[in-house]
Amino acid sequence: MKRIGVLTSGGDAPGMNAAVRAVVRKAIYHDVEVYGVYGGYSGLMNGNIEKLELGSVGDIIHRGGTMLLSARCEEFKTKEGQLKGIEQLKLAGIEGLVVIGGDGSYRGAKALTELGFPCVGVPGTIDNDIPGTQYTIGFDTALNTVIEAVDKIRDTAQSHERAFVIEVMGRNAGDLALWSGLAGGAETILIPEDNYDMNDICQRLIKSQERGKKHSIIIVAEGVASGVEFGKQIKERTDFDTRVSILGHIQRGGSPTAFDRVLASRLGARAVELLLKGKGGRAVGMKNNQVIDNDIADILGEAHTVDMNLLTLSKELSI
Ligand code: ADP
């Protein structure tokens, strides 16, 4: 393989730039040319492709977002859209593609591979919801962003003796809520993977108040319930003066943590190695601090699981 492409797709995540940098530098190190596809699969279908040099990825390792831009593209879910993409790649003389993104982006990479164009997936999403890897690029940064906010909210919650409902990202995956709840000392954590009972939650809050706890932090993943609605119910059912804070898109931005930069560098480099060995249809990941790769179809066939022991531990520690 003498020329490869790289794109970022789906929800952006801090550390995507560090992954792009790793792909570009690793490929050039091996005398392979690299082309950047701008704007995800949408840009791919439109031939928005440009050559990247060593200097093209200078000064980006510490930046959030993605220099290659990202997009969501319905048309790419069709075979016609995918064939258009392949046509553009072939026009540019590209022989393999690194796709940095979440499970939706992986589906696109799998489809291209099945149509004969080798792709390797790199997990880039703040949700940490991709099977086959313990961590996804961006999760650690988003987690630290949430923790910074929780710590600040805790100060004001304590001063005013209030209960705070903090809504964090995570439509289908509770990792961000779970980890931030445990790290932030939240009294209650609600994740999509677990059922909850409003009476139970309110009873716990009331009991903690009776024991002398004057404030409380409740972390809700967006996929469980609207923070506003949840806050309303707590206000109605307990004596707590309740406020709601929705963290929103700040969770997707910011300079990537050292952890995410190292992860992105390792995973991006491995993706290039796989393509150079002619191994398309793979997805890279991290297991026991070792870089691994799996069949992308296997990854997509697996369900993401959260570590429920963390939820139990949080309950034990937040009484
Ligand atoms: P993420 O990659 O963060 O999970 P999305 O789920 O929005 O984000 O997917 C990103 C893009 O990947 C979609 O807009 C679409 O272009 C492409 N994609 C998603 N699902 C498929 C699919 N089944 N087949 C082909 N492409 C897909």
Short mmCIF file of all heavy atoms in Angstrom, two decimals, residues 238-291:
data_model
loop_
_atom_site.label_atom_id
_atom_site.label_comp_id
_atom_site.label_asym_id
_atom_site.label_seq_id
_atom_site.Cartn_x
_atom_site.Cartn_y
_atom_site.Cartn_z
N THR A 238 -39.28 15.78 47.84
CA THR A 238 -38.40 15.90 49.02
C THR A 238 -38.41 17.36 49.49
O THR A 238 -39.00 18.22 48.84
CB THR A 238 -36.94 15.52 48.68
OG1 THR A 238 -36.39 16.53 47.85
CG2 THR A 238 -36.84 14.19 47.99
N ASP A 239 -37.72 17.60 50.59
CA ASP A 239 -37.62 18.98 51.09
C ASP A 239 -36.44 19.71 50.48
O ASP A 239 -36.16 20.85 50.84
CB ASP A 239 -37.43 18.96 52.63
CG ASP A 239 -38.72 18.59 53.31
OD1 ASP A 239 -39.78 18.76 52.66
OD2 ASP A 239 -38.66 18.10 54.45
N PHE A 240 -35.73 19.00 49.61
CA PHE A 240 -34.53 19.63 49.06
C PHE A 240 -34.87 20.78 48.10
O PHE A 240 -35.73 20.66 47.24
CB PHE A 240 -33.69 18.60 48.28
CG PHE A 240 -32.63 17.94 49.10
CD1 PHE A 240 -32.69 16.58 49.39
CD2 PHE A 240 -31.56 18.68 49.59
CE1 PHE A 240 -31.71 15.96 50.14
CE2 PHE A 240 -30.56 18.07 50.35
CZ PHE A 240 -30.64 16.71 50.63
N ASP A 241 -34.17 21.88 48.31
CA ASP A 241 -34.20 22.97 47.34
C ASP A 241 -33.35 22.44 46.18
O ASP A 241 -32.18 22.16 46.34
CB ASP A 241 -33.52 24.19 48.01
CG ASP A 241 -33.59 25.41 47.13
OD1 ASP A 241 -34.41 25.41 46.19
OD2 ASP A 241 -32.80 26.35 47.37
N THR A 242 -33.99 22.26 45.03
CA THR A 242 -33.31 21.54 43.95
C THR A 242 -32.99 22.43 42.75
O THR A 242 -33.79 23.28 42.38
CB THR A 242 -34.22 20.36 43.47
OG1 THR A 242 -34.63 19.64 44.62
CG2 THR A 242 -33.48 19.42 42.55
N ARG A 243 -31.84 22.23 42.17
CA ARG A 243 -31.44 22.94 40.96
C ARG A 243 -30.96 21.91 39.93
O ARG A 243 -30.54 20.82 40.29
CB ARG A 243 -30.29 23.92 41.25
CG ARG A 243 -30.67 25.07 42.15
CD ARG A 243 -31.60 26.06 41.45
NE ARG A 243 -31.85 27.22 42.28
CZ ARG A 243 -32.78 27.29 43.24
NH1 ARG A 243 -33.55 26.25 43.50
NH2 ARG A 243 -32.94 28.41 43.93
N VAL A 244 -31.01 22.34 38.66
CA VAL A 244 -30.61 21.43 37.59
C VAL A 244 -29.52 22.09 36.75
O VAL A 244 -29.59 23.29 36.47
CB VAL A 244 -31.82 21.11 36.66
CG1 VAL A 244 -31.41 20.24 35.49
CG2 VAL A 244 -32.93 20.44 37.47
N SER A 245 -28.54 21.31 36.36
CA SER A 245 -27.49 21.82 35.50
C SER A 245 -27.28 20.82 34.35
O SER A 245 -27.02 19.63 34.60
CB SER A 245 -26.22 21.97 36.33
OG SER A 245 -25.34 22.80 35.68
N ILE A 246 -27.43 21.31 33.14
CA ILE A 246 -27.24 20.43 31.97
C ILE A 246 -25.90 20.81 31.34
O ILE A 246 -25.73 21.92 30.85
CB ILE A 246 -28.40 20.60 30.96
CG1 ILE A 246 -29.71 20.16 31.65
CG2 ILE A 246 -28.15 19.79 29.69
CD1 ILE A 246 -30.96 20.56 30.92
N LEU A 247 -24.97 19.89 31.37
CA LEU A 247 -23.60 20.25 30.95
C LEU A 247 -23.47 20.41 29.43
O LEU A 247 -22.70 21.23 28.96
CB LEU A 247 -22.59 19.24 31.48
CG LEU A 247 -22.55 19.12 33.01
CD1 LEU A 247 -21.38 18.25 33.44
CD2 LEU A 247 -22.45 20.49 33.69
N GLY A 248 -24.22 19.64 28.68
CA GLY A 248 -24.26 19.84 27.21
C GLY A 248 -22.93 19.69 26.50
O GLY A 248 -22.07 18.90 26.90
N HIS A 249 -22.77 20.50 25.45
CA HIS A 249 -21.67 20.27 24.52
C HIS A 249 -20.29 20.64 25.04
O HIS A 249 -19.29 20.33 24.38
CB HIS A 249 -21.94 20.98 23.20
CG HIS A 249 -22.91 20.22 22.35
ND1 HIS A 249 -24.26 20.24 22.58
CD2 HIS A 249 -22.71 19.36 21.33
CE1 HIS A 249 -24.86 19.45 21.71
NE2 HIS A 249 -23.95 18.90 20.94
N ILE A 250 -20.20 21.29 26.20
CA ILE A 250 -18.84 21.52 26.72
C ILE A 250 -18.13 20.17 26.93
O ILE A 250 -16.91 20.10 26.91
CB ILE A 250 -18.80 22.33 28.04
CG1 ILE A 250 -19.51 21.62 29.17
CG2 ILE A 250 -19.29 23.74 27.86
CD1 ILE A 250 -19.10 22.14 30.54
N GLN A 251 -18.93 19.11 27.10
CA GLN A 251 -18.34 17.79 27.33
C GLN A 251 -17.61 17.25 26.09
O GLN A 251 -16.84 16.31 26.18
CB GLN A 251 -19.44 16.78 27.72
CG GLN A 251 -20.06 17.09 29.05
CD GLN A 251 -21.39 16.36 29.24
OE1 GLN A 251 -21.43 15.27 29.76
NE2 GLN A 251 -22.47 16.97 28.80
N ARG A 252 -17.89 17.83 24.94
CA ARG A 252 -17.27 17.32 23.71
C ARG A 252 -16.01 18.10 23.35
O ARG A 252 -15.28 17.70 22.42
CB ARG A 252 -18.28 17.39 22.57
CG ARG A 252 -19.41 16.40 22.72
CD ARG A 252 -19.29 15.27 21.76
NE ARG A 252 -19.66 15.68 20.44
CZ ARG A 252 -20.87 15.54 19.92
NH1 ARG A 252 -21.82 14.96 20.62
NH2 ARG A 252 -21.13 15.96 18.73
N GLY A 253 -15.76 19.23 24.04
CA GLY A 253 -14.64 20.06 23.63
C GLY A 253 -13.47 20.01 24.60
O GLY A 253 -13.44 19.22 25.54
N GLY A 254 -12.51 20.87 24.32
CA GLY A 254 -11.37 21.02 25.23
C GLY A 254 -10.14 20.26 24.79
O GLY A 254 -10.20 19.33 23.99
N SER A 255 -9.01 20.68 25.36
CA SER A 255 -7.74 20.05 25.06
C SER A 255 -7.75 18.62 25.61
O SER A 255 -8.11 18.40 26.76
CB SER A 255 -6.64 20.88 25.74
OG SER A 255 -5.40 20.29 25.53
N PRO A 256 -7.36 17.63 24.80
CA PRO A 256 -7.37 16.25 25.29
C PRO A 256 -6.38 16.04 26.45
O PRO A 256 -5.32 16.65 26.49
CB PRO A 256 -6.96 15.43 24.07
CG PRO A 256 -6.31 16.37 23.13
CD PRO A 256 -6.91 17.73 23.40
N THR A 257 -6.77 15.19 27.37
CA THR A 257 -5.87 14.85 28.49
C THR A 257 -4.67 14.07 27.95
O THR A 257 -4.70 13.53 26.84
CB THR A 257 -6.59 13.93 29.51
OG1 THR A 257 -7.04 12.76 28.81
CG2 THR A 257 -7.78 14.64 30.15
N ALA A 258 -3.64 13.97 28.78
CA ALA A 258 -2.45 13.20 28.39
C ALA A 258 -2.86 11.76 28.06
O ALA A 258 -2.37 11.17 27.08
CB ALA A 258 -1.43 13.23 29.52
N PHE A 259 -3.78 11.22 28.85
CA PHE A 259 -4.23 9.84 28.63
C PHE A 259 -4.81 9.68 27.23
O PHE A 259 -4.47 8.75 26.49
CB PHE A 259 -5.28 9.46 29.69
CG PHE A 259 -5.77 8.04 29.55
CD1 PHE A 259 -5.13 7.00 30.20
CD2 PHE A 259 -6.88 7.74 28.76
CE1 PHE A 259 -5.57 5.68 30.07
CE2 PHE A 259 -7.33 6.44 28.62
CZ PHE A 259 -6.68 5.40 29.27
N ASP A 260 -5.69 10.62 26.85
CA ASP A 260 -6.31 10.52 25.52
C ASP A 260 -5.30 10.72 24.40
O ASP A 260 -5.41 10.11 23.34
CB ASP A 260 -7.46 11.53 25.39
CG ASP A 260 -8.77 10.94 25.91
OD1 ASP A 260 -8.93 9.71 25.85
OD2 ASP A 260 -9.63 11.71 26.36
N ARG A 261 -4.32 11.58 24.63
CA ARG A 261 -3.31 11.81 23.58
C ARG A 261 -2.46 10.56 23.36
O ARG A 261 -2.13 10.20 22.23
CB ARG A 261 -2.39 12.96 23.96
CG ARG A 261 -3.12 14.28 24.07
CD ARG A 261 -2.15 15.38 24.44
NE ARG A 261 -2.83 16.49 25.08
CZ ARG A 261 -2.26 17.65 25.34
NH1 ARG A 261 -1.00 17.85 25.04
NH2 ARG A 261 -2.94 18.61 25.93
N VAL A 262 -2.10 9.91 24.45
CA VAL A 262 -1.28 8.69 24.34
C VAL A 262 -2.10 7.58 23.69
O VAL A 262 -1.64 6.88 22.77
CB VAL A 262 -0.76 8.26 25.74
CG1 VAL A 262 -0.09 6.89 25.67
CG2 VAL A 262 0.22 9.30 26.27
N LEU A 263 -3.34 7.45 24.14
CA LEU A 263 -4.25 6.44 23.58
C LEU A 263 -4.41 6.66 22.07
O LEU A 263 -4.26 5.73 21.26
CB LEU A 263 -5.61 6.56 24.28
CG LEU A 263 -6.71 5.59 23.88
CD1 LEU A 263 -6.35 4.17 24.31
CD2 LEU A 263 -8.05 5.98 24.51
N ALA A 264 -4.68 7.91 21.69
CA ALA A 264 -4.89 8.24 20.27
C ALA A 264 -3.63 7.95 19.46
O ALA A 264 -3.71 7.44 18.34
CB ALA A 264 -5.29 9.70 20.15
N SER A 265 -2.48 8.27 20.02
CA SER A 265 -1.23 8.04 19.29
C SER A 265 -1.00 6.55 19.06
O SER A 265 -0.65 6.11 17.97
CB SER A 265 -0.04 8.62 20.09
OG SER A 265 -0.23 10.00 20.29
N ARG A 266 -1.25 5.77 20.11
CA ARG A 266 -1.02 4.32 20.00
C ARG A 266 -2.01 3.67 19.03
O ARG A 266 -1.64 2.85 18.19
CB ARG A 266 -1.12 3.66 21.38
CG ARG A 266 -0.01 4.10 22.33
CD ARG A 266 -0.17 3.49 23.71
NE ARG A 266 0.24 2.09 23.75
CZ ARG A 266 0.12 1.31 24.84
NH1 ARG A 266 -0.38 1.83 25.96
NH2 ARG A 266 0.51 0.06 24.81
N LEU A 267 -3.28 4.05 19.16
CA LEU A 267 -4.30 3.41 18.32
C LEU A 267 -4.19 3.86 16.86
O LEU A 267 -4.34 3.04 15.94
CB LEU A 267 -5.71 3.72 18.87
CG LEU A 267 -6.02 3.17 20.27
CD1 LEU A 267 -7.47 3.46 20.66
CD2 LEU A 267 -5.74 1.67 20.37
N GLY A 268 -3.92 5.14 16.66
CA GLY A 268 -3.77 5.64 15.28
C GLY A 268 -2.62 4.94 14.57
O GLY A 268 -2.73 4.55 13.41
N ALA A 269 -1.51 4.79 15.29
CA ALA A 269 -0.33 4.15 14.69
C ALA A 269 -0.62 2.69 14.35
O ALA A 269 -0.25 2.19 13.27
CB ALA A 269 0.86 4.25 15.65
N ARG A 270 -1.32 1.98 15.26
CA ARG A 270 -1.64 0.57 14.99
C ARG A 270 -2.55 0.43 13.76
O ARG A 270 -2.42 -0.52 12.97
CB ARG A 270 -2.29 -0.07 16.21
CG ARG A 270 -2.77 -1.49 15.99
CD ARG A 270 -1.66 -2.47 15.60
NE ARG A 270 -0.74 -2.71 16.68
CZ ARG A 270 -0.90 -3.62 17.64
NH1 ARG A 270 -1.95 -4.43 17.59
NH2 ARG A 270 -0.02 -3.75 18.60
N ALA A 271 -3.47 1.37 13.61
CA ALA A 271 -4.38 1.30 12.45
C ALA A 271 -3.58 1.33 11.15
O ALA A 271 -3.86 0.58 10.21
CB ALA A 271 -5.37 2.47 12.51
N VAL A 272 -2.56 2.18 11.10
CA VAL A 272 -1.72 2.27 9.90
C VAL A 272 -0.98 0.95 9.69
O VAL A 272 -0.94 0.40 8.59
CB VAL A 272 -0.72 3.45 10.02
CG1 VAL A 272 0.28 3.44 8.87
CG2 VAL A 272 -1.48 4.77 10.05
N GLU A 273 -0.41 0.41 10.77
CA GLU A 273 0.32 -0.86 10.65
C GLU A 273 -0.57 -1.94 10.06
O GLU A 273 -0.14 -2.73 9.21
CB GLU A 273 0.79 -1.33 12.04
CG GLU A 273 2.04 -0.61 12.54
CD GLU A 273 2.35 -0.95 14.00
OE1 GLU A 273 1.67 -1.83 14.59
OE2 GLU A 273 3.25 -0.30 14.56
N LEU A 274 -1.82 -1.99 10.51
CA LEU A 274 -2.74 -3.01 10.00
C LEU A 274 -2.99 -2.83 8.51
O LEU A 274 -2.93 -3.80 7.74
CB LEU A 274 -4.08 -2.96 10.78
CG LEU A 274 -4.01 -3.47 12.21
CD1 LEU A 274 -5.27 -3.10 12.98
CD2 LEU A 274 -3.81 -4.99 12.24
N LEU A 275 -3.24 -1.60 8.10
CA LEU A 275 -3.49 -1.36 6.67
C LEU A 275 -2.26 -1.75 5.85
O LEU A 275 -2.38 -2.37 4.79
CB LEU A 275 -3.82 0.11 6.42
CG LEU A 275 -5.27 0.55 6.69
CD1 LEU A 275 -5.45 2.02 6.34
CD2 LEU A 275 -6.29 -0.30 5.92
N LEU A 276 -1.09 -1.42 6.37
CA LEU A 276 0.14 -1.73 5.61
C LEU A 276 0.37 -3.23 5.51
O LEU A 276 1.02 -3.71 4.58
CB LEU A 276 1.36 -1.02 6.22
CG LEU A 276 1.29 0.51 6.23
CD1 LEU A 276 2.64 1.11 6.59
CD2 LEU A 276 0.82 1.06 4.89
N LYS A 277 -0.19 -3.97 6.48
CA LYS A 277 -0.08 -5.44 6.39
C LYS A 277 -1.22 -6.02 5.55
O LYS A 277 -1.41 -7.24 5.50
CB LYS A 277 -0.17 -6.04 7.80
CG LYS A 277 1.12 -5.90 8.59
CD LYS A 277 0.96 -6.64 9.93
CE LYS A 277 2.04 -6.23 10.90
NZ LYS A 277 1.59 -6.33 12.30
N GLY A 278 -2.05 -5.13 5.01
CA GLY A 278 -3.17 -5.58 4.18
C GLY A 278 -4.34 -6.10 4.99
O GLY A 278 -5.18 -6.84 4.48
N LYS A 279 -4.39 -5.71 6.28
CA LYS A 279 -5.48 -6.21 7.13
C LYS A 279 -6.60 -5.18 7.25
O LYS A 279 -6.61 -4.38 8.19
CB LYS A 279 -4.94 -6.53 8.53
CG LYS A 279 -4.04 -7.74 8.57
CD LYS A 279 -3.78 -8.09 10.01
CE LYS A 279 -2.82 -9.27 10.13
NZ LYS A 279 -2.42 -9.51 11.50
N GLY A 280 -7.54 -5.21 6.32
CA GLY A 280 -8.71 -4.33 6.41
C GLY A 280 -9.78 -4.99 7.29
O GLY A 280 -9.62 -6.13 7.71
N GLY A 281 -10.85 -4.25 7.56
CA GLY A 281 -11.97 -4.83 8.32
C GLY A 281 -11.64 -5.07 9.78
O GLY A 281 -12.25 -5.92 10.43
N ARG A 282 -10.67 -4.35 10.32
CA ARG A 282 -10.29 -4.50 11.72
C ARG A 282 -10.67 -3.24 12.50
O ARG A 282 -10.86 -2.17 11.92
CB ARG A 282 -8.78 -4.73 11.89
CG ARG A 282 -8.20 -5.82 11.05
CD ARG A 282 -8.70 -7.19 11.40
NE ARG A 282 -8.25 -7.66 12.71
CZ ARG A 282 -8.69 -8.78 13.29
NH1 ARG A 282 -9.62 -9.52 12.70
NH2 ARG A 282 -8.23 -9.16 14.47
N ALA A 283 -10.75 -3.36 13.81
CA ALA A 283 -10.97 -2.21 14.69
C ALA A 283 -9.94 -2.30 15.80
O ALA A 283 -9.78 -3.37 16.42
CB ALA A 283 -12.37 -2.24 15.27
N VAL A 284 -9.21 -1.21 16.04
CA VAL A 284 -8.17 -1.25 17.08
C VAL A 284 -8.77 -0.89 18.43
O VAL A 284 -9.83 -0.27 18.52
CB VAL A 284 -6.99 -0.30 16.74
CG1 VAL A 284 -6.29 -0.75 15.48
CG2 VAL A 284 -7.45 1.15 16.62
N GLY A 285 -8.08 -1.30 19.48
CA GLY A 285 -8.59 -1.02 20.83
C GLY A 285 -7.50 -1.26 21.86
O GLY A 285 -6.36 -1.63 21.52
N MET A 286 -7.86 -1.04 23.11
CA MET A 286 -6.90 -1.18 24.20
C MET A 286 -7.44 -2.19 25.22
O MET A 286 -8.60 -2.08 25.65
CB MET A 286 -6.74 0.20 24.86
CG MET A 286 -5.60 0.31 25.82
SD MET A 286 -4.01 0.09 25.02
CE MET A 286 -3.78 1.69 24.32
N LYS A 287 -6.60 -3.17 25.55
CA LYS A 287 -7.00 -4.14 26.57
C LYS A 287 -5.80 -4.40 27.46
O LYS A 287 -4.72 -4.71 26.94
CB LYS A 287 -7.46 -5.43 25.88
CG LYS A 287 -8.18 -6.36 26.82
CD LYS A 287 -8.70 -7.58 26.07
CE LYS A 287 -9.34 -8.55 27.02
NZ LYS A 287 -9.65 -9.82 26.37
N ASN A 288 -5.99 -4.28 28.76
CA ASN A 288 -4.89 -4.46 29.72
C ASN A 288 -3.63 -3.69 29.31
O ASN A 288 -2.52 -4.22 29.33
CB ASN A 288 -4.55 -5.95 29.90
CG ASN A 288 -5.75 -6.71 30.39
OD1 ASN A 288 -6.59 -6.15 31.13
ND2 ASN A 288 -5.88 -7.96 30.00
N ASN A 289 -3.86 -2.48 28.88
CA ASN A 289 -2.78 -1.56 28.47
C ASN A 289 -1.99 -2.04 27.24
O ASN A 289 -0.87 -1.59 27.01
CB ASN A 289 -1.83 -1.26 29.63
CG ASN A 289 -1.14 0.08 29.43
OD1 ASN A 289 -1.68 0.97 28.77
ND2 ASN A 289 0.06 0.22 29.96
N GLN A 290 -2.56 -2.97 26.50
CA GLN A 290 -1.93 -3.41 25.25
C GLN A 290 -2.84 -3.03 24.09
O GLN A 290 -4.07 -3.13 24.21
CB GLN A 290 -1.77 -4.94 25.25
CG GLN A 290 -0.85 -5.49 26.33
CD GLN A 290 0.57 -4.98 26.21
OE1 GLN A 290 1.15 -4.96 25.13
NE2 GLN A 290 1.13 -4.53 27.32
N VAL A 291 -2.24 -2.63 22.98
CA VAL A 291 -3.05 -2.33 21.80
C VAL A 291 -3.45 -3.65 21.15
O VAL A 291 -2.61 -4.53 20.95
CB VAL A 291 -2.27 -1.46 20.79
CG1 VAL A 291 -3.13 -1.14 19.58
CG2 VAL A 291 -1.80 -0.16 21.46
#
